[in-house]
Structure formats: C-alpha cells, structure tokens
Amino acid sequence: MRWGLLGAGHIARAGAQGIRDARGCELVAVAARDAARARALAQDFSDPGSPTPRAYGSYAELCADPEVDAIYINTTHPWHRDQALMAIAAGKHLVVEKAFMLNAGEATQVLDAARAAGVFAMEGLWTRALPLIREVERVVGEGRIGDVVKVSADLTLAREYDPTHRLFDIDNGGGALLDLGVYACTIPWLFLGRPDTVHVMGSLAPSGVDHVAALQWGYESGATAHAYVTTRAAGPSRAVITGTRGYVEIDPPFHGAKTATLVIDGGEPTRLERPHQRFRHEFEEAARCIRAGALESPLVPHDDTIGILEILDAARSELGVRYPQE
C-alpha cells in the first residue's frame, strides 16, 4: 500500500514512522506548503536500497501522483475538509488525523463524498487500533466485569497560555475538546455507546478556545460516564471501566496505553499488557480494509466519528466556542 503524507509537521513524522513499521505499507511521497520541509522529512524516512520518497511543494501535486494509493492528512483540523475532498476527487483512499474535521457537518460531507467515490476513509485515531484497547474491549465484551455501569476518562496537558500556540489559536481550531476530547470521549463511547444526555462544564482561555471541559454522560440504563480534558493541568490521564462484577483501569496515558489492571469479584488484580508501535496499527488496519475493498473500518466506524464530533460540537456551543470557519 503506497502512502503519501499531506503535511510535514510533527505528527507527520509519527505517521511516517507508523507507515514504515506497518506490514505491507510504503511511504512514497510527502507534500508540504514548504517544499524544503517536505524534502527534509522524505530524506529522514528514506530506507537504504529504496527510492527516497518524492517531495512536493503543493498538496495538489501529491493528490495527482498516480503512484500514491492512499493519503494520510496530518495538517490541523480546520483545513481537513478541503484537503480531504481534493484527495477524494483524485480517487485516493484516506486516513485523516484526529480531530477528523472541525465539526460533525464537515465529517458527514467528507464521508458521504468518500463513499460516493468508492474510496476508503478513516479517522486517524490511533487509540482505537492499539492492541491493549482491543484487548480491553474483548474482556469487557465477554462480560468478565459484568454490566458496565460507569466509564471515566481524564486527559490532561499542562501548557502555559500562548495565543500563538496551536492549542490556543481559535483560527487554527484550538481548544482542549478537539485536541484531547476526541480521546476522552472515545473510551465511554466504546463501552457504553452514544449517551442519552450530556451535561457540560468548563472554562475558556483568553483567546476564546476551551481550556477546561468536563462532560457528564447519562444513559437510560442508569449507567454514567465522565470525560474530562484540560490544557492547563498535569493529571494522571487514566481511564476506568467499572462493571457490576469488577473493573478495568487503563494505565496513563490511556490514549497510548500498553498496560491495564483487571479486577474481578474483588480478587487479585490481573495485569493486561499489550505492547504497541504507536501509529503502525492504524495504518495496518487501513491497508487491510483497502485491500478488502471496504470503505470504512470496523475499528473506527464512520458513525462513531460523526457521533463523537456531534457531542463535541454541542459541548463547544454550550461553552461558547465558535471557530471563524463555521
């Protein structure tokens, strides 16, 4: 599976390494608005005995490359929609770094376009493809902790306020919810599904983006969930799935975890350990689906991507965050 990178920033390097590590995947091209930046990344990820990935100074050139099968879009989320639609029009399969789009409306538009064009599209949410998360899903799905009654996930990041930093830049889709909330909301969604009610509390940075958000989810079954994110504190970033017979505690940081603790009926804790190679697993999953002719991955279904963005949209609205592009 021949991959191109649309974007050559920090996350692009993690993606390039993931493609290099993934079985049956090859990095063949890199595009950035600055051609020198694209060349530098391509050179850094060239393998001995293989051609150096091609470097482009425009995204359109990457999309027009006939030797690129799939594109990993890793720019910031306000630009994802137009870049994804350009790639889809060129017939390229897609993995788009989280947050998939700026809002649920854009996500629906892009996923509908991908399906109409017959190309694969997936949110690049590496957490959902990690071996440990899949193992925890299996354990909980088998009923080993009983019925799930509560899920909590906290993801924290301590950053000094800087209006020029991406996290605080409202023009660049900044804020804790779109950067961290995608992960924090994914855990309760995986184990309890879409909530029946959502209550939101939080506060804004001076630039108008959210820097604290706490979401309380309720379910008709009586189950509850809590998702907390902030860019102004350094917390443990744990996740816990609690059931009627026991619980699973995912070690911090939960969104990239390799270990967890399982306790059943008050017995001795059992350690769950599943090593991972960061982004490798999402690219292997995408390549598997593309080869099979699938248009979406069962690990990151389109409905989940849209549904979680709908919750984040509502939370931002309640907190008073609106991006200039909306």
Side-chain angles (χ1 to χ4, degrees):
M1 193 61 57
R2 300 171 299 180
W3 288 88
L5 298 182
L6 195 157
H10 171 71
I11 296 298
R13 291 184 171 271
Q17 187 62 54
I19 291 166
R20 172 186 274 180
D21 293 337
R23 292 167 294 185
C25 292
E26 178 186 9
L27 178 62
V28 300
V30 181
R33 289 175 295 180
D34 179 350
R37 202 173 178 190
R39 283 194 298 271
L41 193 151
Q43 188 62 47
D44 288 348
F45 285 90
S46 60
D47 292 316
S50 299
T52 298
R54 294 177 293 284
Y56 296 117
S58 78
Y59 301 143
E61 289 179 285
L62 176 69
C63 292
D65 187 334
E67 295 186 18
V68 170
D69 302 314
I71 292 177
Y72 169 52
I73 295 176
N74 60 87
T75 56
T76 50
H77 26 269
W79 324 116
H80 286 176
R81 177 184 59 181
D82 291 346
Q83 293 163 353
L85 292 174
M86 178 170 58
I88 290 167
K92 306 301 185 185
H93 302 290
L94 287 177
V95 171
V96 182
E97 178 60 23
K98 67 84 198 167
F100 184 71
M101 297 289 149
L102 198 60
N103 54 50
E106 290 185 358
T108 300
Q109 180 186 1
V110 167
L111 293 172
D112 285 350
R115 186 168 292 278
V119 300
F120 173 84
M122 183 180 86
E123 182 173 24
L125 191 61
W126 66 304
T127 301
R128 295 191 72 153
L130 291 180
L132 179 78
I133 298 301
R134 299 184 68 180
E135 175 64 8
V136 173
E137 286 188 89
R138 184 188 68 80
V139 167
V140 174
E142 288 176 352
R144 294 177 65 185
I145 65 169
D147 296 331
V148 177
V149 297
K150 179 188 176 185
V151 178
S152 63
D154 291 5
L155 190 55
T156 65
L157 186 65
R159 287 287 184 272
E160 290 292 331
Y161 174 69
D162 176 358
T164 67
H165 191 282
R166 174 185 63 83
L167 285 173
F168 301 103
D169 184 357
I170 197 163
D171 292 328
N172 209 16
L177 280 166
L178 281 191
D179 197 75
L180 306 176
V182 177
Y183 295 121
C185 290
T186 288
I187 299 301
W189 189 284
L190 281 174
F191 298 102
L192 286 172
R194 182 188 290 271
D196 297 307
T197 60
V198 178
H199 298 285
V200 182
M201 295 171 285
S203 60
L204 305 184
S207 59
V209 303
D210 56 287
H211 63 176
V212 178
L215 284 66
Q216 304 290 340
W217 296 9
Y219 295 83
E220 291 183 359
S221 66
T224 61
H226 169 79
Y228 173 82
V229 292
T230 183
T231 54
R232 60 179 303 192
S237 295
R238 295 180 185 275
V240 182
I241 302 98
T242 303
T244 53
R245 292 188 54 207
Y247 66 89
V248 180
E249 183 173 6
I250 302 174
D251 292 339
F254 73 82
H255 69 303
K258 300 178 182 179
T259 56
T261 299
L262 169 66
V263 176
I264 301 173
D265 294 331
E268 288 296 315
T270 299
R271 293 294 285 166
L272 305 176
E273 185 170 354
R274 295 294 185 276
H276 66 73
Q277 287 182 276
R278 290 176 55 80
F279 285 22
R280 166 189 171 175
H281 310 284
E282 70 178 75
F283 286 110
E284 286 187 345
E285 170 64 8
R288 182 193 69 79
C289 292
I290 293 167
R291 292 190 187 101
L295 300 184
E296 64 182 297
S297 164
L299 297 186
V300 196
H302 292 176
D303 284 349
D304 287 12
T305 293
I306 294 169
I308 289 173
L309 276 172
E310 287 173 340
I311 288 174
L312 298 181
D313 288 350
R316 285 196 297 110
S317 177
E318 192 161 337
L319 293 175
V321 178
R322 184 175 179 86
Y323 298 118
Q325 299 91 341
E326 294 182 300

mmCIF file of all heavy atoms in Angstrom, residues 171-207:
data_model
loop_
_atom_site.group_PDB
_atom_site.id
_atom_site.type_symbol
_atom_site.label_atom_id
_atom_site.label_comp_id
_atom_site.label_asym_id
_atom_site.label_seq_id
_atom_site.Cartn_x
_atom_site.Cartn_y
_atom_site.Cartn_z
ATOM 1 N N ASP A 171 -8.262 30.538 15.369
ATOM 2 C CA ASP A 171 -8.260 30.449 13.909
ATOM 3 C C ASP A 171 -7.758 29.100 13.421
ATOM 4 O O ASP A 171 -8.009 28.711 12.284
ATOM 5 C CB ASP A 171 -7.381 31.550 13.314
ATOM 6 C CG ASP A 171 -7.961 32.938 13.530
ATOM 7 O OD1 ASP A 171 -9.203 33.058 13.555
ATOM 8 O OD2 ASP A 171 -7.189 33.886 13.688
ATOM 9 N N ASN A 172 -7.037 28.381 14.289
ATOM 10 C CA ASN A 172 -6.464 27.092 13.908
ATOM 11 C C ASN A 172 -7.177 25.930 14.600
ATOM 12 O O ASN A 172 -6.618 24.839 14.740
ATOM 13 C CB ASN A 172 -4.973 27.068 14.235
ATOM 14 C CG ASN A 172 -4.188 26.154 13.311
ATOM 15 O OD1 ASN A 172 -4.660 25.750 12.252
ATOM 16 N ND2 ASN A 172 -2.972 25.826 13.709
ATOM 17 N N GLY A 173 -8.415 26.180 15.041
ATOM 18 C CA GLY A 173 -9.202 25.105 15.645
ATOM 19 C C GLY A 173 -8.714 24.675 17.011
ATOM 20 O O GLY A 173 -8.864 23.507 17.388
ATOM 21 N N GLY A 174 -8.130 25.611 17.780
ATOM 22 C CA GLY A 174 -7.568 25.271 19.074
ATOM 23 C C GLY A 174 -8.615 24.906 20.109
ATOM 24 O O GLY A 174 -9.821 25.044 19.906
ATOM 25 N N GLY A 175 -8.130 24.438 21.253
ATOM 26 C CA GLY A 175 -9.019 24.059 22.347
ATOM 27 C C GLY A 175 -8.803 22.635 22.799
ATOM 28 O O GLY A 175 -8.356 21.774 22.027
ATOM 29 N N ALA A 176 -9.138 22.389 24.063
ATOM 30 C CA ALA A 176 -8.942 21.058 24.634
ATOM 31 C C ALA A 176 -9.881 20.022 24.026
ATOM 32 O O ALA A 176 -9.510 18.861 23.853
ATOM 33 C CB ALA A 176 -9.145 21.111 26.148
ATOM 34 N N LEU A 177 -11.106 20.422 23.691
ATOM 35 C CA LEU A 177 -12.092 19.444 23.226
ATOM 36 C C LEU A 177 -11.680 18.775 21.915
ATOM 37 O O LEU A 177 -11.748 17.554 21.790
ATOM 38 C CB LEU A 177 -13.465 20.102 23.073
ATOM 39 C CG LEU A 177 -14.247 20.277 24.378
ATOM 40 C CD1 LEU A 177 -15.420 21.221 24.177
ATOM 41 C CD2 LEU A 177 -14.723 18.931 24.909
ATOM 42 N N LEU A 178 -11.251 19.561 20.931
ATOM 43 C CA LEU A 178 -10.897 18.949 19.655
ATOM 44 C C LEU A 178 -9.534 18.276 19.695
ATOM 45 O O LEU A 178 -9.286 17.336 18.937
ATOM 46 C CB LEU A 178 -10.931 19.981 18.523
ATOM 47 C CG LEU A 178 -12.309 20.331 17.975
ATOM 48 C CD1 LEU A 178 -12.203 21.153 16.701
ATOM 49 C CD2 LEU A 178 -13.146 19.081 17.701
ATOM 50 N N ASP A 179 -8.655 18.728 20.577
ATOM 51 C CA ASP A 179 -7.337 18.113 20.641
ATOM 52 C C ASP A 179 -7.319 16.884 21.537
ATOM 53 O O ASP A 179 -6.751 15.856 21.186
ATOM 54 C CB ASP A 179 -6.309 19.130 21.131
ATOM 55 C CG ASP A 179 -4.888 18.684 20.837
ATOM 56 O OD1 ASP A 179 -4.464 18.771 19.672
ATOM 57 O OD2 ASP A 179 -4.208 18.222 21.769
ATOM 58 N N LEU A 180 -7.937 16.986 22.711
ATOM 59 C CA LEU A 180 -7.918 15.913 23.698
ATOM 60 C C LEU A 180 -9.268 15.223 23.872
ATOM 61 O O LEU A 180 -9.326 14.032 24.198
ATOM 62 C CB LEU A 180 -7.480 16.472 25.061
ATOM 63 C CG LEU A 180 -6.161 17.248 25.098
ATOM 64 C CD1 LEU A 180 -5.924 17.810 26.497
ATOM 65 C CD2 LEU A 180 -4.997 16.374 24.669
ATOM 66 N N GLY A 181 -10.352 15.975 23.659
ATOM 67 C CA GLY A 181 -11.691 15.437 23.905
ATOM 68 C C GLY A 181 -12.064 14.275 23.010
ATOM 69 O O GLY A 181 -12.871 13.416 23.401
ATOM 70 N N VAL A 182 -11.481 14.219 21.822
ATOM 71 C CA VAL A 182 -11.753 13.083 20.932
ATOM 72 C C VAL A 182 -11.350 11.783 21.622
ATOM 73 O O VAL A 182 -12.068 10.778 21.574
ATOM 74 C CB VAL A 182 -10.996 13.248 19.603
ATOM 75 C CG1 VAL A 182 -11.211 12.042 18.705
ATOM 76 C CG2 VAL A 182 -11.421 14.525 18.889
ATOM 77 N N TYR A 183 -10.193 11.791 22.294
ATOM 78 C CA TYR A 183 -9.737 10.601 23.012
ATOM 79 C C TYR A 183 -10.611 10.328 24.232
ATOM 80 O O TYR A 183 -11.030 9.188 24.472
ATOM 81 C CB TYR A 183 -8.303 10.789 23.496
ATOM 82 C CG TYR A 183 -7.265 10.919 22.419
ATOM 83 C CD1 TYR A 183 -6.464 12.059 22.332
ATOM 84 C CD2 TYR A 183 -7.039 9.903 21.498
ATOM 85 C CE1 TYR A 183 -5.477 12.177 21.362
ATOM 86 C CE2 TYR A 183 -6.058 10.016 20.517
ATOM 87 C CZ TYR A 183 -5.281 11.152 20.458
ATOM 88 O OH TYR A 183 -4.304 11.275 19.505
ATOM 89 N N ALA A 184 -10.848 11.363 25.018
ATOM 90 C CA ALA A 184 -11.582 11.170 26.271
ATOM 91 C C ALA A 184 -13.002 10.696 26.030
ATOM 92 O O ALA A 184 -13.554 9.920 26.818
ATOM 93 C CB ALA A 184 -11.588 12.465 27.085
ATOM 94 N N CYS A 185 -13.632 11.151 24.942
ATOM 95 C CA CYS A 185 -14.994 10.714 24.634
ATOM 96 C C CYS A 185 -15.025 9.336 23.968
ATOM 97 O O CYS A 185 -16.052 8.646 24.015
ATOM 98 C CB CYS A 185 -15.682 11.737 23.735
ATOM 99 S SG CYS A 185 -16.079 13.292 24.574
ATOM 100 N N THR A 186 -13.920 8.942 23.367
ATOM 101 C CA THR A 186 -13.878 7.635 22.707
ATOM 102 C C THR A 186 -14.028 6.495 23.698
ATOM 103 O O THR A 186 -14.702 5.489 23.403
ATOM 104 C CB THR A 186 -12.561 7.487 21.921
ATOM 105 O OG1 THR A 186 -12.615 8.334 20.768
ATOM 106 C CG2 THR A 186 -12.331 6.045 21.472
ATOM 107 N N ILE A 187 -13.439 6.613 24.878
ATOM 108 C CA ILE A 187 -13.479 5.497 25.829
ATOM 109 C C ILE A 187 -14.904 5.208 26.306
ATOM 110 O O ILE A 187 -15.373 4.062 26.194
ATOM 111 C CB ILE A 187 -12.516 5.762 27.007
ATOM 112 C CG1 ILE A 187 -11.073 5.889 26.502
ATOM 113 C CG2 ILE A 187 -12.612 4.647 28.041
ATOM 114 C CD1 ILE A 187 -10.547 4.675 25.755
ATOM 115 N N PRO A 188 -15.671 6.171 26.817
ATOM 116 C CA PRO A 188 -17.058 5.836 27.170
ATOM 117 C C PRO A 188 -17.895 5.418 25.970
ATOM 118 O O PRO A 188 -18.794 4.576 26.096
ATOM 119 C CB PRO A 188 -17.588 7.124 27.811
ATOM 120 C CG PRO A 188 -16.642 8.204 27.435
ATOM 121 C CD PRO A 188 -15.320 7.554 27.229
ATOM 122 N N TRP A 189 -17.606 5.984 24.799
ATOM 123 C CA TRP A 189 -18.363 5.599 23.600
ATOM 124 C C TRP A 189 -18.130 4.122 23.279
ATOM 125 O O TRP A 189 -19.060 3.402 22.907
ATOM 126 C CB TRP A 189 -17.951 6.482 22.427
ATOM 127 C CG TRP A 189 -18.803 6.318 21.205
ATOM 128 C CD1 TRP A 189 -18.773 5.273 20.304
ATOM 129 C CD2 TRP A 189 -19.824 7.210 20.746
ATOM 130 N NE1 TRP A 189 -19.704 5.460 19.315
ATOM 131 C CE2 TRP A 189 -20.354 6.643 19.563
ATOM 132 C CE3 TRP A 189 -20.315 8.426 21.203
ATOM 133 C CZ2 TRP A 189 -21.381 7.272 18.839
ATOM 134 C CZ3 TRP A 189 -21.331 9.039 20.487
ATOM 135 C CH2 TRP A 189 -21.851 8.466 19.321
ATOM 136 N N LEU A 190 -16.874 3.660 23.424
ATOM 137 C CA LEU A 190 -16.561 2.266 23.122
ATOM 138 C C LEU A 190 -17.332 1.296 24.007
ATOM 139 O O LEU A 190 -17.743 0.221 23.560
ATOM 140 C CB LEU A 190 -15.058 2.013 23.292
ATOM 141 C CG LEU A 190 -14.131 2.459 22.171
ATOM 142 C CD1 LEU A 190 -12.676 2.256 22.581
ATOM 143 C CD2 LEU A 190 -14.428 1.687 20.890
ATOM 144 N N PHE A 191 -17.513 1.660 25.280
ATOM 145 C CA PHE A 191 -18.058 0.701 26.240
ATOM 146 C C PHE A 191 -19.513 0.954 26.629
ATOM 147 O O PHE A 191 -20.161 0.066 27.190
ATOM 148 C CB PHE A 191 -17.163 0.671 27.485
ATOM 149 C CG PHE A 191 -15.767 0.229 27.178
ATOM 150 C CD1 PHE A 191 -14.742 1.156 27.086
ATOM 151 C CD2 PHE A 191 -15.486 -1.102 26.919
ATOM 152 C CE1 PHE A 191 -13.450 0.760 26.764
ATOM 153 C CE2 PHE A 191 -14.204 -1.512 26.597
ATOM 154 C CZ PHE A 191 -13.180 -0.581 26.508
ATOM 155 N N LEU A 192 -20.037 2.134 26.323
ATOM 156 C CA LEU A 192 -21.433 2.437 26.637
ATOM 157 C C LEU A 192 -22.224 2.948 25.441
ATOM 158 O O LEU A 192 -23.452 2.978 25.477
ATOM 159 C CB LEU A 192 -21.512 3.469 27.765
ATOM 160 C CG LEU A 192 -21.172 2.968 29.176
ATOM 161 C CD1 LEU A 192 -21.091 4.141 30.152
ATOM 162 C CD2 LEU A 192 -22.192 1.947 29.665
ATOM 163 N N GLY A 193 -21.524 3.382 24.388
ATOM 164 C CA GLY A 193 -22.216 3.888 23.212
ATOM 165 C C GLY A 193 -22.640 5.344 23.372
ATOM 166 O O GLY A 193 -22.226 6.051 24.288
ATOM 167 N N ARG A 194 -23.512 5.765 22.465
ATOM 168 C CA ARG A 194 -23.978 7.158 22.467
ATOM 169 C C ARG A 194 -24.810 7.440 23.717
ATOM 170 O O ARG A 194 -25.718 6.690 24.051
ATOM 171 C CB ARG A 194 -24.836 7.422 21.219
ATOM 172 C CG ARG A 194 -25.323 8.870 21.105
ATOM 173 C CD ARG A 194 -26.324 9.014 19.974
ATOM 174 N NE ARG A 194 -25.700 8.868 18.674
ATOM 175 C CZ ARG A 194 -25.172 9.877 17.967
ATOM 176 N NH1 ARG A 194 -25.218 11.108 18.451
ATOM 177 N NH2 ARG A 194 -24.623 9.652 16.795
ATOM 178 N N PRO A 195 -24.512 8.535 24.415
ATOM 179 C CA PRO A 195 -25.278 8.842 25.634
ATOM 180 C C PRO A 195 -26.676 9.366 25.312
ATOM 181 O O PRO A 195 -26.932 9.892 24.232
ATOM 182 C CB PRO A 195 -24.430 9.931 26.300
ATOM 183 C CG PRO A 195 -23.728 10.603 25.163
ATOM 184 C CD PRO A 195 -23.449 9.518 24.156
ATOM 185 N N ASP A 196 -27.559 9.241 26.289
ATOM 186 C CA ASP A 196 -28.907 9.797 26.157
ATOM 187 C C ASP A 196 -28.945 11.258 26.595
ATOM 188 O O ASP A 196 -29.762 12.041 26.093
ATOM 189 C CB ASP A 196 -29.891 8.971 26.985
ATOM 190 C CG ASP A 196 -29.986 7.534 26.470
ATOM 191 O OD1 ASP A 196 -30.229 7.348 25.262
ATOM 192 O OD2 ASP A 196 -29.797 6.596 27.276
ATOM 193 N N THR A 197 -28.079 11.624 27.533
ATOM 194 C CA THR A 197 -27.998 13.018 27.977
ATOM 195 C C THR A 197 -26.532 13.394 28.150
ATOM 196 O O THR A 197 -25.696 12.542 28.469
ATOM 197 C CB THR A 197 -28.715 13.243 29.319
ATOM 198 O OG1 THR A 197 -28.108 12.415 30.325
ATOM 199 C CG2 THR A 197 -30.192 12.907 29.212
ATOM 200 N N VAL A 198 -26.228 14.671 27.944
ATOM 201 C CA VAL A 198 -24.869 15.176 28.157
ATOM 202 C C VAL A 198 -24.956 16.518 28.872
ATOM 203 O O VAL A 198 -25.707 17.405 28.453
ATOM 204 C CB VAL A 198 -24.102 15.365 26.829
ATOM 205 C CG1 VAL A 198 -22.707 15.936 27.097
ATOM 206 C CG2 VAL A 198 -23.996 14.055 26.057
ATOM 207 N N HIS A 199 -24.188 16.662 29.960
ATOM 208 C CA HIS A 199 -24.077 17.937 30.667
ATOM 209 C C HIS A 199 -22.621 18.391 30.583
ATOM 210 O O HIS A 199 -21.699 17.578 30.698
ATOM 211 C CB HIS A 199 -24.506 17.799 32.128
ATOM 212 C CG HIS A 199 -25.939 17.395 32.287
ATOM 213 N ND1 HIS A 199 -26.986 18.266 32.078
ATOM 214 C CD2 HIS A 199 -26.492 16.200 32.606
ATOM 215 C CE1 HIS A 199 -28.125 17.633 32.279
ATOM 216 N NE2 HIS A 199 -27.860 16.374 32.597
ATOM 217 N N VAL A 200 -22.429 19.682 30.384
ATOM 218 C CA VAL A 200 -21.094 20.225 30.125
ATOM 219 C C VAL A 200 -20.768 21.341 31.109
ATOM 220 O O VAL A 200 -21.610 22.197 31.395
ATOM 221 C CB VAL A 200 -20.999 20.777 28.681
ATOM 222 C CG1 VAL A 200 -19.583 21.299 28.402
ATOM 223 C CG2 VAL A 200 -21.395 19.721 27.670
ATOM 224 N N MET A 201 -19.546 21.307 31.607
ATOM 225 C CA MET A 201 -18.996 22.409 32.401
ATOM 226 C C MET A 201 -17.603 22.697 31.875
ATOM 227 O O MET A 201 -16.953 21.804 31.326
ATOM 228 C CB MET A 201 -18.926 22.029 33.885
ATOM 229 C CG MET A 201 -20.275 21.812 34.545
ATOM 230 S SD MET A 201 -20.123 21.122 36.216
ATOM 231 C CE MET A 201 -19.689 19.426 35.809
ATOM 232 N N GLY A 202 -17.137 23.938 32.035
ATOM 233 C CA GLY A 202 -15.799 24.250 31.571
ATOM 234 C C GLY A 202 -15.505 25.726 31.609
ATOM 235 O O GLY A 202 -16.288 26.525 32.139
ATOM 236 N N SER A 203 -14.368 26.088 31.042
ATOM 237 C CA SER A 203 -13.966 27.486 31.001
ATOM 238 C C SER A 203 -13.120 27.732 29.762
ATOM 239 O O SER A 203 -12.619 26.793 29.131
ATOM 240 C CB SER A 203 -13.179 27.866 32.267
ATOM 241 O OG SER A 203 -12.012 27.072 32.390
ATOM 242 N N LEU A 204 -12.979 29.018 29.416
ATOM 243 C CA LEU A 204 -12.302 29.404 28.185
ATOM 244 C C LEU A 204 -10.996 30.131 28.478
ATOM 245 O O LEU A 204 -10.860 30.825 29.491
ATOM 246 C CB LEU A 204 -13.202 30.320 27.341
ATOM 247 C CG LEU A 204 -14.596 29.804 26.986
ATOM 248 C CD1 LEU A 204 -15.296 30.806 26.067
ATOM 249 C CD2 LEU A 204 -14.538 28.427 26.359
ATOM 250 N N ALA A 205 -10.047 29.965 27.547
ATOM 251 C CA ALA A 205 -8.814 30.752 27.571
ATOM 252 C C ALA A 205 -9.119 32.149 27.033
ATOM 253 O O ALA A 205 -10.157 32.370 26.392
ATOM 254 C CB ALA A 205 -7.755 30.055 26.719
ATOM 255 N N PRO A 206 -8.240 33.121 27.247
ATOM 256 C CA PRO A 206 -8.491 34.480 26.753
ATOM 257 C C PRO A 206 -8.711 34.564 25.241
ATOM 258 O O PRO A 206 -9.421 35.471 24.779
ATOM 259 C CB PRO A 206 -7.216 35.237 27.164
ATOM 260 C CG PRO A 206 -6.720 34.512 28.365
ATOM 261 C CD PRO A 206 -7.040 33.074 28.114
ATOM 262 N N SER A 207 -8.175 33.625 24.485
ATOM 263 C CA SER A 207 -8.340 33.645 23.028
ATOM 264 C C SER A 207 -9.710 33.150 22.582
ATOM 265 O O SER A 207 -10.044 33.222 21.399
ATOM 266 C CB SER A 207 -7.256 32.796 22.363
ATOM 267 O OG SER A 207 -7.315 31.454 22.826
#
